[in-house]
């Protein structure tokens, strides 16, 4: 790839943008964390990169102090890519989305897995206790403008997709494995039952 002089293509960020990148949480960051229900988690290792969605009740990401946040690692597809990556490369990125709002919040830092009983109890969902937690030491916290949200019309009601307009999860798996349509339908039923009614259990 040819090297490009990016400074000739893009204007530098304003002083306000530069000064808004902090290495610690302020009260307004805490307000957003207490409202946050969803973020994407980025991690990597020598074997590759990963980005995975994380969600929970408002405030499921806890601020342990003004330099540290933590969240439970609840069951997903059991690839455990994020946890595996953290064992060799502790760099991590978090991108928060806030339904209905035209703003993102980002946290970049270094993370580690924890099985400390007191922390796991603090991150419990009702009687459900996570197996592990991820603790993030903050290097950068910043807000990001919502232009991408508006370009995508993400929160607009007309942007909601008709589920039947795209291949279903069962059809995707069937195409990969060579299963028949009846198996695909059964996979669909199992999929939607699991993601709606078994949020904290193993797949």
């Amino acid at each position: 790839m040819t090297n490009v002089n990016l400074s000739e293509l893009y204007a530098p960020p304003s002083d306000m943008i530069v000064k808004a990148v902090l290495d610690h949480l302020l009260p307004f960051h805490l307000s957003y964390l207490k409202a946050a229900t969803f973020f994407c988690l980025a991690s990597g290792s020598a074997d590759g990169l990963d980005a995975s969605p994380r969600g929970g009740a408002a405030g499921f990401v806890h601020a342990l102090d003004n330099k540290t946040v933590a969240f439970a690692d609840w069951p997903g597809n059991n690839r455990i890519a994020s946890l595996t990556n953290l064992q060799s490369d502790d760099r991590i990125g978090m991108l928060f989305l806030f339904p209905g709002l035209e703003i993102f919040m980002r946290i970049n830092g270094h993370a580690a897995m924890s099985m400390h009983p007191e922390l796991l109890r603090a991150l419990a969902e009702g009687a459900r206790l996570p197996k592990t937690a991820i603790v993030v030491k903050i290097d950068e916290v910043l807000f990001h403008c919502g232009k991408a949200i508006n370009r995508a019309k993400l929160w607009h009601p007309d942007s909601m997709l008709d589920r039947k307009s795209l291949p279903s999860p069962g059809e995707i798996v069937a195409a990969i494995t060579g299963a028949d349509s009846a198996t695909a339908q059964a996979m669909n039923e199992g999929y939607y039952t699991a993601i709606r009614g078994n949020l904290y259990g193993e797949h």
Side-chain angles (χ1 to χ4, degrees), residues 66-81:
N66 72 346
K67 291 275 295 181
T68 316
V69 298
F71 56 93
D73 188 76
W74 295 110
N77 57 15
N78 282 336
R79 290 186 67 239
I80 55 173

Side-chain angles (χ1 to χ4, degrees), residues 38-41 51-55:
F38 179 85
F39 72 92
C40 289
L41 179 69
S52 62
R54 303 298 172 113

Side-chain angles (χ1 to χ4, degrees), residues 17 101-104 144-155:
I17 296 296
L101 302 188
E102 299 165 297
I103 193 169
F104 301 94
H144 195 123
C145 79
K147 290 181 180 178
I149 289 172
N150 288 327
R151 285 194 290 261
K153 299 181 179 179
L154 192 61
W155 309 134

Side-chain angles (χ1 to χ4, degrees), residues 7-66:
S7 62
E8 293 181 354
L9 290 177
Y10 298 92
S14 67
D15 287 343
M16 179 183 67
I17 296 296
V18 173
K19 291 177 180 178
V21 180
L22 303 175
D23 64 356
H24 59 283
L25 300 169
L26 292 177
F28 52 80
H29 295 119
L30 297 175
S31 295
Y32 274 82
L33 278 178
K34 289 176 182 177
T37 58
F38 179 85
F39 72 92
C40 289
L41 179 69
S43 63
S45 71
D47 295 326
L49 303 174
D50 184 71
S52 62
R54 303 298 172 113
F60 77 105
V61 177
H62 291 216
L64 304 185
D65 55 47
N66 72 346

Side-chain angles (χ1 to χ4, degrees), residues 177-192:
T177 63
D180 59 24
S181 59
T183 302
Q185 180 60 33
M187 289 179 182
N188 281 335
E189 293 173 0
Y191 174 79
Y192 289 115

Side-chain angles (χ1 to χ4, degrees), residues 43-50 81 84-91:
S43 63
S45 71
D47 295 326
L49 303 174
D50 184 71
T84 301
N85 286 343
L86 288 178
Q87 291 183 329
S88 60
D89 187 336
D90 66 353
R91 293 175 299 170

